[in-house]
Amino acid sequence: MIAQRMSKLDASGIRKVFDLAASMKNPINLSIGQPDFDVPDPVKDEAIRAIREGKNRYTVTQGIPELHERLRALVNEKKGYDPDALLVTSGVSGALLLAFMALVDEGDEALIPDPYFVMYKHLVGLCGGTPVFVNTYPDFKVTADRLREKITSRTKLLLLNSPANPTGSTVDAAELPAIAELAAEHNLLVLSDEIYDCFSYDMPPSSIGAACPNTLLMGGFSKSHGMTGWRLGYCAGPREVIAAMTMLQQYSFVCAPSFAQVAGLTALETDTSAYTEAYRRKRDLICDGLTDAGYEIRKPGGAFYVFPKAPWGTDMEFVAEAIRNNLLVIPGSVFSEKNTHFRISYAATEETIEAGLDALRKLIRQGPPEG
Ligand code: PLP
């Protein structure tokens, strides 16, 4: 009954973790991929006002004009990218699905730096494409040299995600011109997922869009404003691509949620620098703690994840033992073709992070379980 294409999706890794975690009563939870702060009050107030004032109908597919214009200006000012066109989407997830549907033909190859955000691999596969992984271990740096090795005549897309989930790694600004040149040379469209741009700790975020006109730039409100359930994002890029995505959105999502679009304007006026500062402190807390405990890590420049090497065993063996010690983290193979690392999310209270560090210190000291 189920369509063949569904066989391209696989949730076995994460399902195994949920099975293991099912018996946990009150876990030290460092697994969550969303901020631990709530939507800022002015944004909530605006959403409530919008609903009360009847902004509850379908909007135009491309997004309400005020938000559409504001986002175009923001992409221009903040990212140095002047896109032909823009579409307001139901989160970056919505934008990703539309983009792959609009762009990927059977057999097309998409370069995906490994480790990667899970959706990329599965959505490319769903659309008949072939994900081609570019190994970025051990430093998680995306470089033109690493990408070049994997380019074939079928390569059509290059996925970039900076700052990245699950590593927190950022693409070096100095590397962007070389990556842009490579994309131009091989006529690749660069799909740049910049959803974590507000969590850039060591330097301002830089976008490939400034160097590469053939960029499909995606951003959103889920992480920056804790609006994960409101489903609001955007995608800016070449006219032809955005037109195809807009047509698909018309026949699928129709539009992003109307109240969220109205409140999105307020979100853009809201200062979120205190969140960034708080998460910078949490990053330092977890990274210093992990390093002192003897874990092998690359200090992440952004997002709210760190991706340490498992000190013993496979990722699954280590995570199973962590779960037995009441600590919930995610095995690296959920995000990678390798099974050597695990993901910590520090989008949690400092108390939870400290409790997690205690458990991690114990896990590295005790070593693998006997037998
Ligand atoms: N891109 C990355 C790298 C993510 O980590 C996530 C969520 O975890 C998304 C996109 C999805 O974001 P949205 O809530 O805007 O659909």
Side-chain angles (χ1 to χ4, degrees):
M1 196 207 306
I2 302 300
Q4 261 302 314
R5 76 175 70 84
M6 290 301 290
S7 64
K8 299 288 174 56
L9 301 188
D10 165 34
S12 56
I14 196 74
R15 206 177 311 125
K16 230 180 274 175
V17 183
F18 288 150
D19 288 348
L20 281 170
S23 60
M24 296 176 92
K25 288 273 169 345
N26 188 15
I28 305 161
N29 198 341
L30 297 182
S31 75
I32 300 186
Q34 57 185 333
D36 67 324
F37 53 82
D38 200 3
V39 176
D41 279 336
V43 186
K44 282 185 188 167
D45 292 342
E46 184 62 6
I48 292 164
R49 195 186 63 80
I51 289 172
R52 287 203 192 286
E53 288 188 359
K55 305 265 169 61
N56 300 309
R57 300 176 156 248
Y58 300 130
T59 73
V60 283
T61 288
Q62 64 269 29
I64 58 172
E66 304 87 326
L67 182 64
H68 196 267
E69 265 168 44
R70 188 68 196 83
L71 286 170
R72 274 195 78 145
L74 178 136
V75 167
N76 213 323
E77 287 158 22
K78 291 233 167 111
K79 298 179 181 287
Y81 177 40
D82 185 15
D84 293 344
L86 184 142
L87 175 65
V88 177
T89 58
S90 288
V92 171
S93 309
L96 286 168
L97 181 65
L98 295 173
F100 292 131
M101 293 272 290
L103 291 163
V104 175
D105 274 322
E106 204 66 35
D108 282 347
E109 293 179 358
L111 293 184
I112 303 182
D114 177 354
Y116 45 77
F117 173 52
V118 275
M119 272 185 205
Y120 305 153
K121 165 183 171 171
H122 290 107
L123 293 182
V124 167
L126 187 74
C127 295
T130 307
V132 175
F133 302 106
V134 179
N135 180 3
T136 67
Y137 289 82
D139 58 8
F140 311 130
K141 285 294 175 192
V142 179
T143 64
D145 285 344
R146 284 176 170 171
L147 295 168
R148 187 176 291 108
E149 278 178 31
K150 295 286 182 169
I151 292 179
T152 73
S153 58
R154 310 273 345 221
T155 312
K156 188 166 187 184
L157 287 178
L158 161 60
L159 271 290
L160 284 186
N161 174 213
S162 177
N165 178 5
T167 61
S169 177
T170 51
V171 181
D172 291 336
E175 194 65 27
L176 291 174
I179 296 175
E181 203 173 302
L182 189 71
E185 192 183 321
H186 295 275
N187 199 24
L188 309 182
L189 180 69
V190 181
L191 199 161
S192 184
D193 177 349
E194 303 183 13
I195 192 162
Y196 292 102
D197 60 355
C198 54
F199 298 110
S200 297
Y201 306 121
D202 302 325
M203 54 195 68
S206 40
S207 173
I208 183 88
C212 176
N214 213 18
T215 294
L216 202 51
L217 191 159
M218 297 181 181
F221 296 75
S222 287
K223 316 292 175 173
S224 55
H225 296 77
M227 283 163 57
T228 46
W230 289 17
R231 314 307 308 129
L232 188 64
Y234 66 88
C235 179
R239 191 175 317 283
E240 193 191 357
V241 181
I242 297 292
M245 290 172 65
T246 306
M247 187 159 63
L248 260 177
Q249 176 148 285
Q250 219 158 359
Y251 292 135
S252 53
F253 298 94
V254 179
C255 62
S258 53
F259 73 90
Q261 292 190 53
V262 177
L265 280 162
T266 306
L268 293 176
E269 304 305 322
T270 307
D271 179 13
T272 57
S273 55
Y275 299 136
T276 309
E277 276 316 303
Y279 276 39
R280 184 204 311 277
R281 282 196 302 277
K282 290 177 200 220
R283 177 204 56 171
D284 292 344
L285 176 68
I286 191 101
C287 289
D288 292 349
L290 287 167
T291 305
D292 289 347
Y295 282 87
E296 188 182 321
I297 63 160
R298 298 290 157 153
K299 191 170 186 177
F304 38 69
Y305 309 105
V306 55
F307 202 63
K309 186 156 192 268
W312 45 259
T314 63
D315 63 335
M316 280 290 178
E317 287 163 350
F318 182 77
V319 168
E321 191 57 19
I323 287 174
R324 278 193 280 276
N325 283 269
N326 203 36
L327 170 66
L328 188 54
V329 289
I330 308 280
S333 52
V334 168
F335 314 96
S336 178
E337 303 306 291
K338 290 187 189 291
N339 63 353
T340 49
H341 288 59
F342 64 101
R343 188 189 80 174
I344 294 174
S345 160
Y346 52 87
T349 63
E350 293 194 5
E351 199 186 351
T352 304
I353 294 171
E354 292 286 7
L357 281 170
D358 282 345
L360 287 161
R361 276 190 282 269
K362 181 167 170 245
L363 283 162
I364 198 170
R365 251 194 335 262
Q366 81 179 27
E370 304 275 309

